[in-house]
Amino acid sequence: MVGDLAPVMNAPSWPLHPVPGSPVRDDFDRSELHPRWVSPRSRRPEDCGTRQRPGWLTLRARGASLDAPDVTFLGRRQQHLSCRVRTLADTREGRGGLAVRLDARSGPDVIHLGVEDADGAFTVLARLDGRYLSTEVAGGFTGRVIGLYAVAGTMHFDWLDYQPLD
């Protein structure tokens, strides 16, 4: 006959404080990028880093478009159903900007692309059905990644804001 079972030890209690979320703004002030930043294929230090211009992210173009296999792209995963992402880019030496890549969500959503003026007014330049950036349409498995890219010359980015709107 088997007797009553009792745990050998009590389970540990949950932490009193939840793990803090990612900061809204990345100012690129550190000499190394945070691990949340990802790139397709490889990320050569001479093409992507924060040491070339302190306080700025510098991207040197390799591929001529976002479709090129050797594109210089640095992104972070979209972690919330709705978010606003902004950056300040210095385009004097190159061509590039902010891009959205592949999504693993299902269901329709709308991506608004635009510019923000110095007063904070947002002007929509284009709307995109988010399904075209989904695994159902485009394939893949990485989830939606929002980030910065260079397709000509050298781009510099002072900061990137990722603000959840949920």
Side-chain angles (χ1 to χ4, degrees):
M1 177 149 112
V2 177
D4 293 335
L5 296 176
V8 175
M9 59 189 274
N10 293 329
S13 61
W14 289 99
L16 296 176
H17 304 288
V19 176
S22 299
V24 169
R25 176 170 285 196
D26 193 332
D27 283 312
F28 304 117
D29 289 335
R30 298 178 179 223
S31 60
E32 301 295 326
L33 291 167
H34 190 278
R36 78 177 139 262
W37 291 103
V38 297
S39 297
R41 297 168 203 75
S42 67
R43 182 167 69 209
R44 301 184 322 191
E46 61 269 21
D47 295 329
C48 177
T50 57
R51 296 180 183 189
Q52 298 89 335
R53 184 174 170 180
W56 292 71
L57 171 67
T58 298
L59 299 179
R60 287 188 174 76
R62 290 183 299 176
S65 78
L66 281 168
D67 295 327
D70 58 346
V71 65
T72 304
F73 175 85
L74 183 72
R76 57 171 292 169
R77 299 193 191 291
Q78 180 178 340
Q79 298 170 274
H80 302 85
L81 183 60
S82 296
C83 66
R84 179 173 69 186
V85 181
R86 305 177 313 150
T87 190
L88 177 62
D90 179 348
T91 61
R92 291 178 289 184
E93 300 174 32
R95 197 173 74 240
L98 190 60
V100 182
R101 296 176 63 116
L102 196 57
D103 178 18
R105 288 184 52 227
S106 61
D109 65 320
V110 178
I111 298 169
H112 295 98
L113 306 172
V115 295
E116 185 176 274
D117 66 21
D119 296 327
F122 184 74
T123 302
V124 174
L125 299 176
R127 287 178 181 80
L128 174 68
D129 183 334
R131 290 177 295 187
Y132 292 106
L133 290 173
S134 70
T135 55
E136 291 81 14
V137 175
F141 63 91
T142 61
R144 187 173 288 168
V145 178
I146 303 169
L148 308 166
Y149 71 98
V151 293
T154 301
M155 290 289 299
H156 302 282
F157 299 92
D158 188 19
W159 47 262
L160 183 127
D161 279 351
Y162 175 96
Q163 184 176 10
L165 298 177
D166 295 335

